[in-house]
Amino acid sequence: MKAIVCGAGQVGVGIARALAREGNAVTVVDWSTELVDRVVTDLDVRGVVGHGSHPDVLERAGAKEADLLVAVTHSDETNMIACQVAHSLFATPMRIARVRAQNYLDPAWADLFNTGNLPVDVVISPELEVGRAILQRVETPGAFNTAVFSGGRVQLLGLRLEESSPVAGSTTEQVMELFPDLRLAVVGVQREQTLFIPKANDPLLPGDDVYVVTESAQVRRILDIFGRTTEAIRRVVVVGAGNIGVYVARALERAGGVKVRLIEADKGKAEAAAERLKKTVVLHGDGLSSRIMHEAGVSKAELVVCVTNDDKVNMLSAVMAKREGAERALSLINEKAFEDLREPLGIDVLIDPRATTVSTILQHIRRGRITGLQSLGGGQAEALEGIALSTSPLVGKPLDELELPDGVALGAIVRGNKVILPCDEGKIRENDRILLFCNTALIPKVEHLFRVSLEYF
């Protein structure tokens, strides 16, 4: 596949890296010579310096032969025009644009993004994607990572294994013997800097980050068995009244049963948030102020969500919230270098909007019938959900006879409303939804599992 990525920022580089790693011909376009030089040096991609929406620049980037254009510059308008130019002048088959401004995404303008108007096949809103990711963490407060597949029937959980966990030191085989009616699949373990798929006799050690797949109905029990059960969330404090903070507060208002307080340092933003929110108490003040923290009731909050535009403010607010007595703290970060500070600082969850956006975009790019995707372990692995075609080598195979490539693990199969786990009996059928966990280097093989015959191997 030939792809053009407009924008050499963090998201653009993440997309380019993923596509280049899979053997695609990638060209990155950006007006900054410095950024283009850096991405060409670091990755096996071409670079073109210029404005991503200019016809001559796209022509130099190879738009006439491109199969895909992904526009993720910092300008919504540049992204949309790049898609328009790619469609009108070069007939680029697939066009994806990142759009931040919520005005464009209002349901009242639902017809804006179509071939007859603005020909954007997929619109990605980072704020909405990050907001949804935060809400998933709210629903599973004991997990540091969570992803929902098959319309909510299946969940993947990332769980830190503590010394006190009932299953610490046990193998996955022993866990299933201790809890024979437990329905889960342990698909991955990150130990220090290495992420691997455990064998049945591999012990799960304290300090491991364990990735498990289960039916949504069993999530609470699995959190309990892994020693990650926490009290239901009834009080939430949000620091930052930007698009993400307001989105999260409004969603919690609609869900009901949760008291929300929002802290915002900018008076104009605080007033605007107060107008948009019906039940949330909005406080104008500094999220790093102990007085404001106390006034917001942080000491009694089950969760504090720090989502300002400043990584350092987010992390320090999270640390202060934990010191004031908050049970859990979630911090938004854009700088990857800060990820290693999560554990030393005692922050429960870090959310990287770049990784969240990249996962969403890749889901729409993947070949085959990929219906869901989540990047894991800092990009070392992915969970992919796809639909098994009649030509797939998986169809007709009993679960205990699947010959998956090394580095690929079966998470779950969904057939209608039925969830089938690796411990169950049965065969894969055409049109089954299959959730696989794999090392990133094996993604091309996984894609082929969803679309080709056995001759591929």
Side-chain angles (χ1 to χ4, degrees):
M1 179 173 68
K2 295 182 179 179
I4 298 173
V5 178
C6 295
Q10 291 181 332
V11 172
V13 171
I15 295 296
R17 177 181 289 109
L19 293 175
R21 187 165 46 206
E22 296 162 26
N24 299 296
V26 181
T27 301
V28 177
V29 177
D30 199 282
W31 62 267
S32 169
T33 303
E34 180 183 353
L35 290 180
V36 171
D37 287 345
R38 185 182 305 166
V39 73
V40 169
T41 301
D42 294 344
L43 306 177
D44 183 18
V45 300
R46 286 183 63 226
V48 172
V49 177
H51 203 286
S53 63
H54 289 181
D56 60 316
V57 174
L58 290 180
E59 184 178 41
R60 283 192 286 124
K64 289 181 180 178
E65 299 81 29
D67 304 295
L68 165 73
L69 180 134
V70 182
V72 288
T73 74
H74 292 294
S75 166
D76 291 349
E77 290 71 25
T78 296
N79 296 338
M80 293 186 286
I81 295 300
C83 289
Q84 178 74 68
V85 172
H87 169 75
S88 300
L89 299 184
F90 305 110
T92 305
M94 187 175 187
R95 304 159 301 275
I96 298 175
R98 178 173 65 177
V99 178
R100 281 195 169 99
Q102 299 303 295
N103 311 64
Y104 289 119
L105 306 176
D106 192 306
W109 322 122
D111 293 333
L112 176 61
F113 298 104
N114 61 45
T115 303
N117 296 315
L118 274 174
V120 181
D121 296 299
V122 180
V123 176
I124 303 296
S125 169
E127 285 80 7
L128 294 184
E129 298 301 331
V130 171
R132 293 184 187 116
I134 291 172
L135 293 172
Q136 288 177 7
R137 305 301 199 281
V138 171
E139 294 174 3
T140 53
F144 68 83
N145 201 337
T146 180
V148 177
F149 296 92
S150 295
R153 297 179 184 86
V154 173
Q155 288 196 37
L156 182 145
L157 304 173
L159 304 169
R160 169 59 60 91
L161 199 61
E162 305 289 354
E163 289 270 5
S164 57
S165 170
V167 298
S170 302
T171 66
T172 55
E173 194 172 49
Q174 290 169 335
V175 172
M176 299 310 295
E177 290 174 356
L178 286 169
F179 306 97
D181 60 337
L182 188 64
R183 295 183 54 72
L184 90 163
V186 179
V187 293
V189 172
Q190 183 158 2
R191 185 170 296 157
E192 296 178 350
Q193 301 300 317
T194 303
L195 196 152
F196 62 94
I197 295 173
K199 295 181 171 60
N201 58 355
D202 285 339
L204 304 177
L205 304 178
D208 284 352
D209 286 339
V210 183
Y211 293 95
V212 303
V213 174
T214 185
E215 295 176 274
S216 294
Q218 292 232 341
V219 166
R220 303 304 300 180
R221 186 172 180 226
I222 287 173
L223 290 173
D224 185 41
I225 288 172
F226 275 78
R228 306 302 304 177
T229 301
T230 60
E231 294 295 325
I233 292 177
R234 295 288 179 264
R235 293 171 293 270
V236 175
V237 175
V238 179
V239 180
N243 288 332
I244 296 173
V246 172
Y247 176 87
V248 170
R250 289 182 69 180
L252 293 174
E253 284 184 345
R254 289 193 296 268
V258 180
K259 294 181 179 179
V260 185
R261 296 195 174 188
L262 188 152
I263 300 172
E264 171 54 52
D266 183 274
K267 186 177 180 180
K269 282 187 177 181
E271 291 174 345
E275 290 179 5
R276 295 177 63 185
L277 298 169
K278 307 302 180 185
K279 301 177 183 177
T280 299
V281 176
V282 180
L283 302 175
H284 172 223
D286 189 348
L288 297 177
S289 164
S290 295
R291 179 184 64 80
I292 292 295
M293 286 272 189
H294 179 74
E295 188 177 344
V298 164
S299 62
K300 298 179 180 179
E302 286 85 17
L303 178 66
V304 175
V305 178
C306 305
V307 287
T308 74
N309 292 324
D310 189 318
D311 285 0
K312 295 175 184 177
V313 170
N314 291 338
M315 298 183 75
L316 288 174
S317 295
V319 171
M320 289 183 64
K322 293 293 293 286
R323 188 188 66 184
E324 292 288 330
E327 289 187 17
R328 292 175 62 78
L330 179 154
S331 175
L332 188 74
I333 62 161
N334 289 280
E335 180 55 59
K336 193 173 180 62
F338 290 154
E339 289 182 357
D340 293 337
L341 297 176
R342 177 179 72 87
E343 193 169 350
L345 292 178
I347 300 172
D348 299 285
V349 178
L350 294 179
I351 289 188
D352 180 355
R354 175 195 58 187
T356 302
T357 305
V358 168
S359 290
T360 304
I361 292 174
L362 288 177
Q363 176 182 330
H364 295 284
I365 293 174
R366 297 291 188 218
R367 296 182 297 271
R369 299 182 69 182
I370 304 299
T371 57
L373 182 149
Q374 179 69 36
S375 180
L376 303 165
Q380 293 186 62
E382 286 187 9
L384 294 98
E385 179 190 67
I387 299 174
L389 303 178
S390 60
T391 56
S392 169
L394 300 175
V395 172
K397 289 288 188 72
L399 299 189
D400 57 359
E401 295 180 14
L402 288 180
E403 297 179 357
L404 296 173
D406 289 339
V408 179
L410 175 65
I413 298 165
V414 178
R415 184 178 301 146
N417 291 321
K418 183 179 181 182
V419 177
I420 302 167
L421 295 175
C423 57
D424 298 327
E425 295 182 354
K427 296 181 179 180
I428 294 178
R429 299 179 187 174
E430 183 181 355
N431 293 323
D432 281 351
R433 287 177 178 264
I434 304 173
L435 177 60
L436 296 175
F437 179 96
C438 70
N439 293 330
T440 305
L442 297 174
I443 288 170
K445 286 191 175 183
V446 171
E447 290 177 336
H448 278 76
L449 286 175
F450 288 117
R451 71 186 185 116
V452 303
S453 61
L454 198 57
E455 281 74 22
Y456 173 76
F457 296 99

